[in-house]
Amino acid sequence: MAATATPFGLKPVNLIGGQAFNGGAIREYLLPSNVAAAYYTGSVIYMNTNGVPTAITATPVAPKYTATSADGTAGILGVMVGVRYTDPNLKYTVFSQYLPSGAYTSGYRDIYIRVCDDPDQLYSIQAATVIGSKTNGARGAIGQNAALSSFSGSATTGLANTALDTGSNWGSCASTTTLAMRIVDIITPDDTYPEVLVKFNHGVHSYLNPLGV
């Protein structure tokens, strides 16, 4: 049971609607140039305007479906599940959960960011806060939306520290259409910091967002 906040980013679990799940289909995106930031498994990845797959540094938003509509975040590809590269010292291909900052400048080559890019993917993620006094506990948040928080990670474990931004007494879970994630279920409702089953809200993933990069 998670009695402490130990976020691990987003972890692929299965697909929405009972679709066949083969462990998480991935697409590999070449890192063509240097990026002055590290990459961690469990991070949300977007494509920037120069064709560089990049980890987000703020929560994405969904398009707003009202008369005063606004675009959602462009280029969200999915969640990083690892990297592969030619190691500058070993001179052969290495698979890893982590890529250090400035890897290209440091001599890493053939760098590919491995991304679970299915827009129907469900993910496990830890809540950032305790449940508190929310009505019906964590299960009272099923069907609501929430943002993401924390966008770095651990070089030791290789895991992102991204969590679900639930807020005090889970008050940040809401019907707001622009929040990034839909809460589908609660995996560990009795934990102090529950694991939550989520998917990208409609229009967040680039495959379902008409806005290009």
Side-chain angles (χ1 to χ4, degrees):
M1 295 180 64
T4 59
T6 52
F8 47 81
L10 291 113
K11 183 189 303 180
V13 177
N14 52 28
L15 299 179
I16 197 74
Q19 300 175 66
F21 180 63
N22 65 358
I26 67 166
R27 184 175 298 278
E28 293 188 323
Y29 292 91
L30 176 69
L31 192 68
S33 57
N34 196 60
V35 174
Y39 288 75
Y40 304 95
T41 291
S43 296
V44 176
I45 302 296
Y46 76 98
M47 184 65 73
N48 76 10
T49 55
N50 296 314
V52 178
T54 306
I56 63 170
T57 57
T59 186
V61 296
K64 191 173 184 180
Y65 296 105
T66 68
T68 56
S69 60
D71 288 328
T73 304
I76 298 297
L77 300 174
V79 171
M80 181 177 130
V81 293
V83 297
R84 69 175 174 94
Y85 52 80
T86 300
D87 186 277
N89 299 311
L90 300 174
K91 308 300 183 185
Y92 58 71
T93 299
V94 172
F95 290 83
S96 178
Q97 292 196 110
Y98 163 74
L99 184 71
S101 171
Y104 201 89
T105 298
S106 298
Y108 292 67
R109 290 295 182 269
D110 308 315
I111 305 169
Y112 287 87
I113 310 302
R114 312 183 84 210
V115 178
C116 180
D117 71 339
D118 193 328
D120 287 341
Q121 184 69 55
L122 294 172
Y123 299 95
S124 171
I125 187 172
Q126 189 179 52
T129 57
V130 299
I131 299 164
S133 60
K134 186 170 182 64
T135 302
N136 295 325
R139 289 188 178 91
I142 294 174
Q144 294 186 321
N145 300 328
L148 298 174
S149 63
S150 302
F151 305 101
S152 60
S154 167
T156 301
T157 66
L159 297 179
N161 66 355
T162 301
L164 195 66
D165 188 8
T166 42
S168 177
N169 298 315
W170 282 38
S172 295
C173 303
S175 62
T176 309
T177 60
T178 53
L179 292 173
M181 311 304 296
R182 171 64 54 85
I183 297 172
V184 176
D185 204 351
I186 310 300
I187 300 171
T188 57
D190 297 325
D191 281 7
T192 304
Y193 293 85
E195 287 186 33
V196 183
L197 191 69
V198 299
K199 73 177 295 292
F200 286 116
N201 226 337
H202 186 74
V204 173
H205 198 289
S206 65
Y207 296 169
L208 300 176
N209 184 351
L211 180 67
V213 298

